[in-house]
Amino acid sequence: MVSVAVPKERAPGERRVALVPEVVARLVKEGLEVRVEKGAGEGAYHPDQAYLDAGAKVVDQDELLPGAMVLFTVQPPELDLIQRLERGALVVGFMQAHKNPDRLKALLHRGVDVLAMELIPRITRAQAMDALSSQATVAGYLAALHAARLSSRFFPMLTTAAGTIRPAKVMVMGVGVAGLMAIATAKRLGAQVFAYDVRKAAVEQALSLGAKPVELPISAEGEGGYARELTEEEKRIQHEALREHVSGMDAIITTAQVPGRRAPILLTEDMMDRLAPGSVVVDLAAESGGNCVLTKPGEVVEVKGVRIYGPLNLPSELSVHASEMYAKNLYNLSRLLFKDGAFAPDWEDEILKGALLIKDGQVVHGPTKALLGI
């Protein structure tokens, strides 16, 4: 019987768990043994008993990995956990190689294979496995709530005995999955929402949600649904145009990121000087450097009356649903790894091939190979 292991996440502030009891029950029914470390689900409010009821074995860390063929994680496993992995085992989770090169080297030296959830190809067949999108949905929702919480103004229009309150003006910069969810949530809160993205298709999606697009003579469609890097001339055009638009905003949510690179700067100091005191910026790119020059990752800072928040690991704040969505992503991916209870992946499948980071003692992902100097 193939054994699947789920560790307790140990990254600071991480409350998610890789598999929830509902998904564990499905895997057990399909003939797999699922081992869950004691306390693994506590941060997502799943007690050990719920995993036992689902058919899992709830074990101490020492009993988790011996004989386990697959390790499902949220964050990259800690170094001490890596040393206990069975050689030839498969690790599946968010790896973020550019942030964790030491752990990638340890996994390589341990002789295990690695699938990175952030590398799942953005193709139609892989949508149900796209953990980047599921977790970005959570982040976008919370970004709008944090913007409303930090704002000195109401978001909705209100008609009161004391007069009429105009709706807040909210701009979302970067209209990917997180941006679209931020737009939808800000609209539900009653704000007047504006949207900017360098991809024409994204602008059309923002329009469908009721946002007013900020359109510039720039089109930067890239591969895999991401934007390509702008030329210097395009950056100049973007800066000049956005500088005028941001000045009237009460809240700005930025989400622009480039996989494996520093996030692009969208809000420069001269643009921040144009924001009115009492306005707020929520920078979802804080973990990769930030879209705002004044962002301090993990902190709320106030500069000239403007609050700037650079949240880290937002999905962990909504641990119940974030874990549920992530676990279903892993379950859908598992259909490509297991057949009739046996470990039988087709490594030539375009989804598995695209997400492979390490295979048979070799780094097979080009950018990661360059990062590690291999």
Side-chain angles (χ1 to χ4, degrees):
M1 180 181 288
V2 176
S3 293
V4 172
V6 179
K8 179 179 176 63
E9 299 292 327
R10 288 172 172 77
E14 182 56 75
R15 298 184 60 85
R16 291 171 292 177
V17 63
L19 295 183
V20 298
E22 176 192 348
V23 170
V24 167
R26 292 189 198 178
L27 293 174
V28 170
K29 188 176 180 180
E30 291 171 11
L32 302 177
E33 177 190 71
V34 181
R35 302 178 194 168
V36 178
E37 185 179 350
K38 288 180 180 177
E42 287 177 354
Y45 303 99
H46 295 298
D48 290 344
Q49 187 60 50
Y51 286 101
L52 290 170
D53 293 343
K57 293 183 177 180
V58 177
V59 299
D60 293 321
Q61 190 184 66
D62 290 342
E63 304 170 81
L64 182 68
L65 297 178
M69 179 63 70
V70 178
L71 180 72
F72 283 140
T73 73
V74 179
Q75 302 280 0
E78 301 287 333
L79 293 173
D80 63 332
L81 202 65
I82 292 172
Q83 300 309 317
R84 302 181 188 187
L85 287 166
E86 294 280 357
R87 293 190 180 277
L90 174 68
V91 178
V92 185
F94 284 117
M95 293 297 130
Q96 305 293 349
H98 61 291
K99 297 180 185 176
N100 304 287
D102 56 333
R103 297 191 199 182
L104 262 294
K105 288 178 180 177
L107 287 164
L108 181 64
H109 294 151
R110 185 61 183 169
V112 298
D113 296 337
V114 178
L115 276 174
M117 291 303 286
E118 70 270 19
L119 297 181
I120 294 287
R122 288 196 154 176
I123 58 177
T124 302
R125 193 165 69 88
Q127 283 182 345
M129 311 166 201
D130 187 353
L132 274 182
S133 291
S134 72
Q135 303 307 291
T137 298
V138 179
Y141 169 77
L142 287 172
L145 297 186
H146 281 301
R149 174 180 64 87
L150 292 169
S151 178
S152 59
R153 298 170 171 85
F154 283 118
F155 265 31
M157 182 177 78
L158 298 175
T159 302
T160 74
T164 299
I165 303 293
R166 294 179 180 275
K169 291 184 177 181
V170 177
M171 177 183 278
V172 177
M173 304 174 77
V175 189
V177 174
L180 290 169
M181 191 62 180
I183 288 170
T185 305
K187 286 290 291 183
R188 291 188 188 107
L189 292 173
Q192 184 179 1
V193 184
F194 299 79
Y196 169 71
D197 199 289
V198 294
R199 298 164 300 149
K200 297 297 184 186
V203 172
E204 291 171 4
Q205 288 177 307
L207 188 62
S208 72
L209 290 175
K212 183 177 180 180
V214 175
E215 297 192 63
L216 303 184
I218 297 172
S219 181
E221 304 284 348
E223 295 182 2
Y226 294 101
R228 62 168 173 78
E229 191 169 359
L230 299 183
T231 65
E232 290 304 314
E233 176 61 15
E234 287 172 332
K235 288 178 182 177
R236 185 192 64 78
I237 294 171
Q238 174 181 261
H239 177 266
E240 292 297 323
L242 289 179
R243 187 169 58 180
E244 300 303 319
H245 285 285
V246 300
S247 60
M249 297 298 151
D250 301 308
I252 298 176
I253 298 170
T254 67
T255 74
Q257 300 192 60
V258 181
R261 300 185 189 178
R262 194 208 181 284
I265 295 294
L266 298 179
L267 294 174
T268 57
E269 286 195 41
D270 64 323
M271 293 164 74
M272 293 299 293
D273 285 340
R274 288 174 172 254
L275 290 179
S279 54
V280 60
V281 173
V282 177
D283 189 346
L284 288 191
E287 291 190 53
S288 54
N291 297 140
C292 173
V293 292
L294 301 178
T295 296
K296 290 190 177 179
E299 297 182 32
V300 177
V301 296
E302 188 166 316
V303 181
K304 298 179 181 178
V306 177
R307 289 177 179 172
I308 304 115
Y309 179 34
L312 300 176
N313 194 11
L314 269 183
S316 187
E317 291 186 19
L318 213 68
S319 60
V320 171
H321 281 149
S323 296
E324 180 182 317
M325 295 166 78
Y326 183 67
K328 288 179 179 176
N329 293 145
L330 287 176
Y331 175 74
N332 290 320
L333 180 66
S334 76
R335 311 305 293 272
L336 303 178
L337 299 175
F338 306 108
K339 186 174 182 179
D340 298 327
F343 184 63
D346 175 8
W347 294 116
E348 291 304 311
D349 181 283
E350 62 180 327
I351 296 174
L352 296 183
K353 197 171 184 178
L356 258 181
L357 203 57
I358 297 173
K359 182 77 178 76
D360 298 330
Q362 301 289 326
V363 178
V364 295
H365 181 244
T368 301
K369 187 181 294 188
L371 175 73
L372 299 179
I374 297 173

